[in-house]
Amino acid sequence: MSTSPSAKRLTLLAALCLAASTFAATAAPALAADLPKPEPIPGRTMLPQEHQYQRQLRAYMATLAEKDFDHGAAGQMIGEYIPPDPEVQYRNYLFTLMPGGGPLVGSKRGVPAINDPPKLFTLANIEGAEAVMKPPLYPEALMQLVQWDYPGNIYHDNRGLKLRCFVNASIALMMLDNELDKEPAARRADWRSTQLIIIGAPYDGFKGVISPEARQAFQDGLKRLARQLMSYGPRGEEPNFDLILPIGLWYAAHDCDDAAFSKEVEAFAKMMFSDPKYFHPAGYWRDRGGIDVGFAGQVHFFTVWAALASDWPFAKESIEKVYRLRAHLTLPEPDGTVTGPSAFDTRLGSPAYADQWSFAGRDHGALMLTDEAACWIKPIAEKDLVESGKNRAIEFQRQINENPVKSGNGSGETPYVYLKNEEIMSRPWTMRLIENYQFPASMVYVQDFYKKGAYAHLQKLEKQKSPWLKFPFAREENFVRDFAGAFVVSKSSEFGAILHTGPLGSQSPDEKLVQLPAPLGFGGGQLSAFWTPATGSVILGRRGGIIHQTPYDKPEEWRTWPIHAVTGMTAEGKVITSARIVAPETQVEAKRRSAKAKVHGLMSTFRVVPDVASKPEKPVQDMYDEPLAGRIDYTRAFEIEPDQLRIETKVTADGKDKVAELCETIPVYLRDAKLQPDATPTTIEFKADGKWTPATEAYQEKVKAVRLTRFAGAVEIEFDQPQRVKLSPAEWKDPVQLSFGNCRNVMIDLMPAGGNAGEFKEAKVAYRIAAARK
């Protein structure tokens, strides 16, 4: 029987389809089936092959040739296009807010992700003679460029670049897993969670260009790594590292798309976001049990990220509480600047407005979750908004045009000489705490997880002149708010006050954590701030903090510590203070326009222990709280009324500790030397015998009142009974210049007149603070 040409073509097509399906049916199971562990290759350091997913990934990487990593893009990125949609403009604007121009895909301090020779990504070049070689590339950053849908982006959706991200992330996954298997000391979630982001964030971008078997293997390895890190749990050493884990886990759960695994991840994240052990219901993640409003900026960077990416309701609720507290701890000044208290900070001395890592659109991202963040958003210049896409494209191209430095230091005599593309080399993989100089902040996550309508909402707030755009103390409202017993914040037409009544950070020599060499915050029940519209923050509690194991709050300088506390010395020279009552007994009763708060606890001293184990040649002097020989009880009561704040402090001792000096200190805020260089520092006057005289470092007897004059107003502290009062011996200046704040203490003598050391039994002082009447 004859066959027509068309019939022959159909028969041939059917045969080809049958052959293709037969190949797929046989080839796929061969890849998907368990692979034996490959034999070592002489002269090569192979990728880890202990686990099946590692073998599958290596097998797939072996199929990729140099040409697979050639991106083929030529020319320059074009930045002339202006999107007509303001939402797109705003999203592009957020993409320009990373310091240093990140995400980094080039530049002398970044990595030449585009200019890397394609051969570096082949298995033959990865498995080097002495080490596994990692090509210079940040996969999470490069994928943001690849996925940026902008007409001038010549690298958009580029297969070669996606495969580069896949290979780099796979190396990181296999090598870290191998290190955790071999090295028990490496098993710390706080130090390894960044890798979950590096590995998991680019997966959505490259999963479509790799084989199904490679996708499954990558997911298996990612899930294994995520479960390992969850099993280690939070360490409790630095919350900024502990709180990276939830967003890393979210990426793992999102990439794996496994319902049971997603539930595990969500349960773990809920613990980190909700359990009082980690998150105080007042609105902060605990730092060694206390709060640090400056250091917490890093925590907020990752927790906003997790809340924005996920659909976890508890994450959004926590961010709302965080931004509510943060706004209430920020005080506007009459000159348009802002300030705030920080005495309670565990480690840094910076107030809420100067917290760390507020870049990359973090607060814009928070505004997509809660209006409590609106007060942190500054107006955007029209030109910056309209030209944001152009600016982003120009910055990416600038990075691509600049390879790492080969030699030179940039001076006139030895200018920089940059590597040529063909000179770019891989480096041996090593486990790092910080993967690159920008990470963990190497992504602009608000661009990835942009909420549609975010710009329209911001415009609506601005058009309506919403009070949300102002800090609470700048709004028309009056309020008294109790933040879960940790803070009481009030504002009336007359004044505002912030009371800190919550716990502090603490440490024990028995903890297997890095020990800190200074007090972990000052509290015990303090007036953190007293503010009026005319004076601004005239009373403000601050601290120096700890930077790189260097303490700036030294016990011998206690007289200048700008804190509202009872502090003094024993006859033996020990510093005793109410400011280190770690967990005061607290009673708070807050009403609509008034509040009462009472705190109680035992005063303590300090014990300094040389840390010989970590630095035998020059031991760091770690500092711990230590009980006194006897008992000195401290009680302080606050009463907030619409027109005044009343304070009563009472101290009683059993006589076992010989007290040589004891004072109630009130920290007077002078100015911020950087933000307010032309402002006249607060003037301090004492009133005795009906006359006002300038305050000095010498005790003045029978002082009835203290007047603090600042900007266009004044505040008076009026004692129930005349007191013996002086100023601290020196002005306090922020020693680490995180805020440039200057303070001076008013010191109220609590020792009995003519008494000797050891005769101290009881002291009480009561006073009211109010705006001075004109």
Side-chain angles (χ1 to χ4, degrees):
M1 186 175 75
S2 64
T3 307
S4 68
S6 60
K8 288 181 179 180
R9 284 195 295 271
L10 288 171
T11 302
L12 179 61
L13 181 61
L16 289 172
C17 290
L18 178 61
S21 62
T22 302
F23 175 81
T26 56
L31 273 175
D34 284 354
L35 299 177
K37 184 177 179 179
E39 292 295 323
I41 301 174
R44 286 175 65 178
T45 302
M46 296 176 63
L47 286 163
Q49 295 291 282
E50 295 301 318
H51 304 291
Q52 187 59 218
Y53 85 87
Q54 295 169 333
R55 300 170 196 172
Q56 296 284 0
L57 287 176
R58 184 179 182 277
Y60 178 71
M61 290 167 67
T63 69
L64 299 175
E66 185 175 330
K67 63 182 176 59
D68 291 303
F69 304 108
D70 188 350
H71 56 71
Q76 302 282 304
M77 292 183 69
I78 302 169
E80 296 303 322
Y81 176 73
I82 297 177
D85 186 351
E87 292 285 334
V88 177
Q89 294 177 13
Y90 181 51
R91 186 175 184 180
N92 285 336
Y93 170 76
L94 299 177
F95 207 17
T96 67
L97 299 183
M98 178 71 77
L104 292 179
V105 296
S107 81
K108 63 184 178 185
R109 291 188 177 88
V111 284
I114 305 296
N115 298 336
D116 284 343
K119 67 179 182 180
L120 299 184
F121 295 87
T122 61
L123 188 62
N125 280 275
I126 292 167
E127 296 184 335
E130 298 180 357
V132 170
M133 306 299 288
K134 187 179 179 184
L137 178 150
Y138 305 154
E140 75 286 1
L142 177 58
M143 192 57 77
Q144 282 210 294
L145 168 62
V146 173
Q147 293 187 303
W148 184 37
D149 188 5
Y150 180 76
N153 182 11
I154 61 176
Y155 304 101
H156 176 59
D157 207 30
N158 187 284
R159 179 179 181 272
L161 296 180
K162 288 182 179 182
L163 285 172
R164 293 184 184 202
C165 292
F166 159 71
V167 165
N168 203 279
S170 296
I171 293 171
L173 176 59
M174 288 187 275
M175 295 300 290
L176 178 59
D177 191 0
N178 182 64
E179 197 74 14
L180 295 178
D181 279 349
K182 295 191 307 180
E183 298 292 339
R187 296 167 190 167
R188 291 182 54 159
D190 57 339
W191 286 1
R192 312 299 166 219
S193 298
T194 56
Q195 293 292 334
L196 274 181
I197 301 174
I198 292 171
I199 296 164
Y203 177 77
D204 260 357
F206 65 64
K207 66 181 180 182
V209 298
I210 61 176
S211 70
E213 296 75 23
R215 284 200 298 271
Q216 187 60 56
F218 195 91
Q219 290 177 13
D220 290 346
L222 191 57
K223 190 185 300 183
R224 171 183 162 81
L225 176 59
R227 281 180 167 147
Q228 280 181 285
L229 296 181
M230 281 193 287
S231 72
Y232 305 154
R235 184 169 178 84
E237 191 165 274
E238 293 190 70
N240 53 308
F241 282 121
D242 279 338
L243 268 300
I244 298 174
L245 185 53
I247 181 58
L249 291 174
W250 179 87
Y251 276 111
H254 170 78
D255 295 348
C256 294
D257 195 23
D258 178 323
F261 177 58
S262 293
K263 286 184 178 180
E264 291 178 47
V265 165
E266 184 171 353
F268 187 94
K270 186 174 183 179
M271 172 191 69
M272 293 294 294
F273 275 80
S274 308
D275 190 327
K277 180 179 178 181
Y278 305 109
F279 183 77
H280 194 289
Y284 62 88
W285 274 274
R286 294 180 185 267
D287 190 333
R288 304 285 180 113
I291 178 175
D292 194 311
V293 294
F295 204 54
Q298 294 184 35
V299 178
H300 303 160
F301 185 87
F302 294 106
T303 52
V304 169
W305 191 346
L308 205 57
S310 71
D311 57 357
W312 300 330
F314 54 82
K316 181 179 178 180
E317 290 167 8
S318 295
I319 294 302
E320 191 165 61
K321 289 180 179 179
V322 162
Y323 273 82
R324 183 169 182 258
L325 176 62
R326 187 172 169 230
H328 282 78
L329 296 180
T330 303
L331 301 162
E333 293 277 79
D335 61 0
T337 61
V338 294
T339 189
S342 67
F344 36 71
D345 282 353
T346 297
R347 18 178 128 236
L348 296 186
S350 47
Y353 83 86
D355 72 348
Q356 299 192 345
W357 290 24
S358 60
F359 46 70
R362 181 198 69 188
D363 294 340
H364 289 268
L367 180 57
M368 297 177 200
L369 302 166
T370 173
D371 283 347
E372 296 282 1
C375 56
W376 297 100
I377 306 301
K378 297 178 180 178
I380 305 170
E382 180 69 18
K383 188 175 187 294
D384 291 340
L385 186 70
V386 171
E387 297 185 356
S388 56
K390 172 184 175 180
N391 293 336
R392 178 70 269 181
I394 289 172
E395 171 55 29
F396 271 136
Q397 190 61 55
R398 182 200 69 79
Q399 295 176 23
I400 295 167
N401 290 344
E402 184 178 84
N403 278 341
V405 174
K406 179 180 180 180
S407 62
N409 59 15
S411 67
E413 295 181 356
T414 55
Y416 289 130
V417 176
Y418 298 92
L419 289 171
K420 297 176 182 179
N421 289 356
E422 60 271 20
E423 295 177 321
I424 297 170
M425 303 291 290
S426 297
R427 292 184 178 181
W429 179 91
T430 56
M431 187 169 63
R432 300 172 182 269
L433 174 60
I434 303 298
E435 186 65 21
N436 63 60
Y437 93 96
Q438 261 199 333
F439 201 84
S442 58
M443 293 179 63
V444 185
Y445 60 80
V446 290
Q447 205 271 346
D448 276 356
F449 301 109
Y450 183 82
K451 301 290 185 185
K452 187 177 180 180
Y455 185 62
H457 181 62
L458 176 57
Q459 283 186 307
K460 181 180 178 182
L461 293 175
E462 292 174 341
K463 185 177 180 180
Q464 294 177 345
K465 297 183 178 178
S466 170
W468 288 112
L469 295 170
K470 300 179 181 180
F471 293 107
F473 279 80
R475 298 171 192 164
E476 297 298 324
E477 63 175 337
N478 295 326
F479 56 81
V480 174
R481 290 172 183 149
D482 172 16
F483 287 80
F487 291 93
V488 179
V489 184
S490 71
K491 175 185 172 289
S492 68
S493 59
E494 298 278 331
F495 75 96
I498 300 174
L499 310 181
H500 176 236
T501 53
L504 296 170
S506 63
Q507 62 185 6
S508 163
D510 299 329
E511 293 175 337
K512 295 181 179 179
L513 304 175
V514 170
Q515 302 293 280
L516 302 175
L520 275 58
F522 295 121
Q526 294 198 34
L527 172 62
S528 290
F530 190 92
W531 170 94
T532 75
T535 64
S537 301
V538 71
I539 296 174
L540 198 64
R542 300 297 283 269
R543 74 165 301 191
I546 311 160
I547 305 293
H548 303 305
Q549 291 296 102
T550 300
Y552 291 99
D553 301 298
K554 299 175 181 178
E556 62 270 22
E557 298 174 358
W558 66 266
R559 296 173 184 84
T560 62
W561 287 350
I563 58 176
H564 181 224
V566 173
T567 309
M569 293 185 69
T570 66
E572 296 81 13
K574 287 187 175 182
V575 175
I576 55 177
T577 183
S578 67
R580 284 302 304 162
I581 300 173
V582 172
E585 299 173 19
T586 304
Q587 298 173 352
V588 174
E589 180 185 342
K591 298 181 180 179
R592 189 173 65 87
R593 299 189 64 197
S594 64
K596 293 182 179 180
K598 190 174 184 179
V599 293
H600 172 261
L602 297 180
M603 294 175 61
S604 59
T605 185
F606 300 106
R607 177 163 58 103
V608 177
V609 179
D611 184 1
V612 180
S614 64
K615 279 193 172 184
E617 71 286 357
K618 190 178 179 181
V620 173
Q621 305 294 308
D622 295 334
M623 191 176 294
Y624 302 93
D625 301 307
E626 186 171 66
L628 294 167
R631 181 184 179 104
I632 301 180
D633 281 83
Y634 157 87
T635 302
R636 181 175 274 156
F638 303 89
E639 291 187 22
I640 298 174
E641 298 295 339
D643 62 344
Q644 68 175 6
L645 168 64
R646 280 195 55 81
I647 298 174
E648 181 178 301
T649 304
K650 185 176 181 180
V651 181
T652 59
D654 62 8
K656 293 182 180 179
D657 296 278
K658 294 183 178 181
V659 180
E661 185 178 358
L662 200 65
C663 297
E664 168 116 325
T665 55
I666 300 176
V668 178
Y669 189 57
L670 304 179
R671 65 172 179 171
D672 186 302
K674 182 178 181 180
L675 299 179
Q676 302 167 323
D678 299 325
T680 301
T682 307
T683 59
I684 307 172
E685 299 172 281
F686 294 162
K687 185 178 183 180
D689 298 324
K691 297 179 181 180
W692 289 102
T693 57
T696 70
E697 300 169 27
Y699 271 120
Q700 188 166 341
E701 305 292 338
K702 299 180 181 180
V703 174
K704 180 59 179 174
V706 178
R707 183 163 62 194
L708 312 173
T709 303
R710 190 169 188 265
F711 288 105
V715 163
E716 290 185 8
I717 304 169
E718 184 179 341
F719 300 109
D720 285 9
Q721 299 294 328
Q723 300 293 322
R724 189 169 183 256
V725 188
K726 70 174 180 177
L727 293 183
S728 54
E731 182 179 311
W732 179 90
K733 297 180 180 180
D734 191 329
V736 289
Q737 299 184 340
L738 290 173
S739 69
F740 294 87
N742 296 350
C743 300
R744 191 77 182 265
N745 279 341
V746 170
M747 305 182 70
I748 307 164
D749 187 13
L750 297 183
M751 294 296 291
N756 297 314
E759 293 183 357
F760 178 85
K761 296 293 183 181
E762 180 178 289
K764 183 170 72 172
V765 62
Y767 46 94
R768 62 182 289 274
I769 309 176
R773 302 296 178 187
K774 293 184 179 179

